[in-house]
Amino acid sequence: MRSRIRNWGPGLLMVAPSIVVIAVFVYVLIGATVNESLTDRHTAAPAENYVGLENYANLLDDDRFIHSLKNLAVLTVVFVTGTLVLGVLWAFLLEKGVKGEGFFRSAYLFPMAVSFVASGVVWRWLLNSAEGEGAGGLNALFGMAGLDVLQNPWWSHPDWGMAAMAVPAIWQLSGYVMALFLAGFRGIPNELREAARVDGASEAQLYRHVLFPQLSPVALTALIIIGHMSMKMFDLIMAVSGAQYLTEVPAVYMWQALLTNDYAKAAAIAIVLLVVVAVLVVPYLIHNARTERQR
Amino acid sequence: MSAVDTRVPQPTTPTPPSPRRMGPDARRVTARTVRYTLLFLFLVFVLIPVYVLLVTSFKPGTEATLTGAWDLPQNWTLDAWREAWDALSPSLWRSFAIAIPASIVSAILGSMNGFVFSRWRFPGSDIVFTLFLFGMFIPYQAVMIPLRQLTSDLGLASGVPTLIVVHIAYGIPICSLIFRGYYSTTIPNELVEAGRVDGAGLIRTYALIVLPLSAPGFVVTLIWQFTSVWNDFLFAIFLSNTRNGPVTIALNALAGGQLTDYAASMAGALIASFPTLIVYIVLGRWFIGGLMAGSLKT
């Protein structure tokens, strides 16, 4: 027994500092936020009473919160679909080795290196809502190209504004999905392609029945990573539209609640957001850990 | 590399009469034309914001208007760049002061953790690792309120010291993940086992066998961590202000004010992006390595 502990004990010791840090900064603090969300701390003064789930119940009755969830849903659907479609398409276009592949790949991927705050500075202009004579940004570009029909109010649209908010996000992260899929394509053994060709498969059949099925784990990874990024979206919205009702998502609402010192409400919003993300991520992490153990 | 080499120059007869009568060569030419057209269209999509940023940043304030966004400057000037530099340079240095130590410390911790999680496991280490990973997916709003309290209880001053500690803490999961993946493909299990049998302790094995092989892992991790710390806005806005915060905060203030100088904010966006862009251009291959490692599939 003692020799076994001597065997793995030092490993545990080496990780111990990080375990303490993660335990405190992640799990203890999440616990503290949950605790805060159960109190009546609606001012800067300390909480006086526990109120149970009242803050959560209030959120469900809060049109503003429901609105922010709807915004988040629209943003996430458009963002995830857009990056996956573009990312897969770019990877498909580059996968067979084209001239200047490295250049295209680097160009498509470079927005990843830039912060949402920096790219937001220019997207705020590009997505300006003015149309016709006074149009700027993309609307002006459509006007010059004679595509006036495409002019639209972008994120100022009351119902579909969040779909426009996804445009900069798609711009920023499609290259990432492309890189994931390119690595996926490269990871497929060449024999598989050869075998399919020998069997007389056409190019379309090769992709449809041989290559794409091999890439479903990559697609799952991309879906989880982009999906959870979208649910946490804060920087981009603050940079493009600023905090305002029209483009509000839970992460921004939480920040606004905190500015008015409504700690309990801010904490409740944060925990709802955490649960939404966890529903997506936890099954994935468990699945990942299981498949690894089987290997 | 792929099996089909589409780069072989084809004798071009660019007159496909009808799809039905197209020969294999003609079809290949069409496919290639379509492919390059699409590639260039997407290139334009990706570069449009860069064009607007660049041309606006060289305009005098009077020319930098929304309706003239697509025009080239009539009078080229560096005024906006000077103004942006004056507004951002103090925060730029603070960003370096945050990002450099934070990336180095979390990379070192990540290397130690990655080694244990891949090659010196203890009972339950897979569960601990999964619990670490969850820490990288959480919306940080869920820790932000008590985090302010915690950092002040720890005696950390608002701004740079707080942000260094916070970025180290929340950088541990991704750094451990990258190193775990790296070690499980580069350090043979036999090497570590041999050390164990010989009675070489963990520290000696790590210092003499693992560390000397770790340089590529460190490059990838440091780039990843530096980029994400540099680009962070969320922690910065919760835990610092324009007087003691990083460049993302200063840029947001410069670009978001009531009387925004568009030329200066565009120049500022470029200035704030240069460090990470240079890293990306010079060390692109490693940058992509980090992307892949950061996606769990290693």
Side-chain angles (χ1 to χ4, degrees):
Chain A
M1 185 62 204
R2 190 185 290 165
S3 73
R4 265 168 60 204
I5 292 182
R6 200 178 298 156
N7 207 354
W8 54 255
L12 184 57
L13 270 183
M14 198 172 198
V15 186
S18 297
I19 292 182
V20 172
V21 171
I22 295 294
V24 171
F25 278 79
V26 176
Y27 293 96
V28 171
L29 291 190
I30 288 177
T33 308
V34 171
N35 186 56
E36 188 102 34
S37 75
L38 303 176
T39 68
D40 62 351
R41 192 179 174 201
H42 301 296
T43 60
E48 285 176 2
N49 296 303
Y50 280 101
V51 294
L53 295 175
E54 190 184 295
N55 293 308
Y56 294 95
N58 289 344
L59 280 183
L60 287 181
D61 277 340
D62 180 0
D63 289 341
R64 184 174 161 191
F65 184 66
I66 303 298
H67 171 256
S68 77
L69 285 178
K70 268 188 205 149
N71 275 347
L72 189 63
V74 173
L75 175 74
T76 302
V77 169
V78 180
F79 179 27
V80 169
T81 317
T83 43
L84 278 176
V85 169
L86 277 191
V88 171
L89 181 59
W90 292 354
F92 173 73
L93 290 172
L94 291 174
E95 180 259 332
K96 285 181 161 185
V98 296
K99 225 178 255 173
E101 184 207 324
F103 168 74
F104 283 113
R105 205 180 44 205
S106 309
Y108 291 168
L109 196 54
F110 101 88
M112 265 296 283
V114 180
S115 67
F116 277 128
V117 176
S119 62
V121 170
V122 62
W123 279 105
R124 185 183 327 184
W125 251 32
L126 292 174
L127 300 184
N128 188 280
S129 61
E131 296 175 37
E133 283 297 299
L138 291 180
N139 280 349
L141 197 64
F142 290 149
M144 283 188 271
L147 295 167
D148 298 61
V149 283
L150 289 179
Q151 293 193 349
N152 71 82
W154 299 106
W155 57 261
S156 311
H157 192 281
D159 296 323
W160 299 107
M162 287 315 278
M165 193 58 90
V167 172
I170 294 169
W171 173 82
Q172 199 121 4
L173 283 151
S174 294
Y176 176 64
V177 177
M178 170 200 74
L180 285 177
F181 274 91
L182 272 179
F185 273 121
R186 300 275 140 89
I188 298 173
N190 252 333
E191 296 82 60
L192 226 58
R193 291 172 191 249
E194 299 298 335
R197 289 222 178 79
V198 169
D199 290 347
S202 70
E203 281 296 285
Q205 285 170 328
L206 172 70
Y207 277 96
R208 198 162 151 233
H209 297 295
V210 181
L211 299 183
F212 282 136
Q214 292 278 319
L215 294 175
S216 52
V218 181
L220 179 66
T221 304
L223 184 77
I224 300 288
I225 291 190
I226 300 294
H228 102 283
M229 287 184 81
S230 177
M231 289 168 181
K232 289 156 65 169
M233 192 64 79
F234 176 78
D235 307 14
L236 177 71
I237 295 169
M238 294 293 281
V240 171
S241 72
Q244 56 167 295
Y245 177 78
L246 210 53
T247 56
E248 194 165 77
V249 293
V252 175
Y253 191 7
M254 184 269 180
W255 169 242
Q256 294 292 94
L258 209 53
L259 286 183
T260 57
N261 287 323
D262 195 339
Y263 288 88
K265 186 180 183 181
I269 298 173
I271 295 303
V272 172
L273 189 59
L274 175 70
V275 170
V276 171
V277 172
V279 166
L280 177 79
V281 166
V282 169
Y284 176 68
L285 287 177
I286 292 172
H287 163 80
N288 221 60
R290 281 218 188 111
T291 42
E292 256 189 14
R293 206 172 308 149
Q294 281 162 3
R295 239 180 261 158
Chain B
M1 278 312 292
S2 69
V4 183
D5 192 355
T6 50
R7 283 167 299 186
V8 178
Q10 300 292 330
T12 43
T13 40
T15 44
S18 81
R20 208 175 280 172
R21 271 193 285 155
M22 261 201 264
D25 277 359
R27 198 175 301 160
R28 207 170 296 167
V29 171
T30 317
R32 201 165 27 158
T33 315
V34 170
R35 173 171 298 152
Y36 278 105
T37 312
L38 285 174
L39 284 171
F40 275 103
L41 279 178
F42 288 126
L43 191 64
V44 171
F45 167 65
V46 171
L47 294 182
I48 273 180
V50 184
Y51 169 81
V52 175
L53 275 171
L54 275 175
V55 298
T56 313
S57 75
F58 290 110
K59 287 176 182 175
T62 47
E63 274 185 52
T65 58
L66 184 65
T67 42
W70 302 98
D71 305 336
L72 285 172
Q74 285 166 347
N75 305 295
W76 293 74
T77 166
L78 286 174
D79 286 355
W81 285 83
R82 254 179 241 119
E83 197 185 319
W85 175 257
D86 288 343
L88 297 186
S89 59
S91 63
L92 211 55
W93 300 123
R94 287 195 290 271
S95 273
F96 279 113
I98 296 164
I100 293 172
S103 350
I104 292 172
V105 176
S106 26
I108 292 171
L109 290 172
S111 159
M112 290 158 47
N113 298 340
F115 168 58
V116 172
F117 286 138
S118 63
R119 289 288 174 256
W120 206 289
R121 294 193 194 160
F122 53 88
S125 66
D126 285 345
I127 294 169
V128 172
F129 177 64
T130 304
L131 288 171
F132 270 39
L133 286 187
F134 182 64
M136 114 188 167
F137 284 104
I138 60 166
Y140 296 118
Q141 279 83 1
V143 294
M144 215 53 100
I145 301 170
L147 181 61
R148 281 172 162 180
Q149 188 62 43
L150 176 68
T151 52
S152 77
D153 287 352
L154 290 172
L156 296 165
S158 159
V160 176
T162 294
L163 287 171
I164 291 176
V165 170
V166 164
H167 283 301
I168 290 172
Y170 296 105
I172 289 175
I174 181 75
C175 295
S176 309
L177 171 69
I178 296 176
F179 271 109
R180 179 175 177 270
Y182 176 71
Y183 290 144
S184 61
T185 53
T186 46
I187 312 271
N189 231 341
E190 299 75 46
L191 213 61
V192 177
E193 286 304 321
R196 271 179 145 168
V197 172
D198 291 350
L202 170 93
I203 305 283
R204 273 181 59 201
T205 312
Y206 177 69
L208 298 178
I209 299 176
V210 177
L211 265 189
L213 295 169
S214 296
F218 270 101
V219 177
V220 166
T221 314
L222 286 172
I223 291 176
W224 178 269
Q225 196 51 13
F226 179 84
T227 309
S228 39
V229 174
W230 186 275
N231 288 340
D232 164 68
F233 179 69
L234 184 64
F235 285 115
I237 198 175
F238 275 86
L239 301 168
S240 71
N241 55 51
T242 44
R243 286 182 308 284
N244 62 18
V247 70
T248 43
I249 292 290
L251 175 64
N252 193 55
L254 175 70
Q258 286 296 316
L259 292 163
T260 304
D261 179 339
Y262 292 113
S265 11
M266 304 274 170
L270 289 166
I271 290 174
S273 307
F274 273 138
T276 48
L277 276 181
I278 288 168
V279 168
Y280 174 66
I281 291 165
V282 176
L283 298 164
R285 195 161 61 88
W286 304 93
F287 184 89
I288 295 172
L291 283 186
M292 295 304 110
S295 67
L296 292 190
K297 294 274 174 254
T298 42

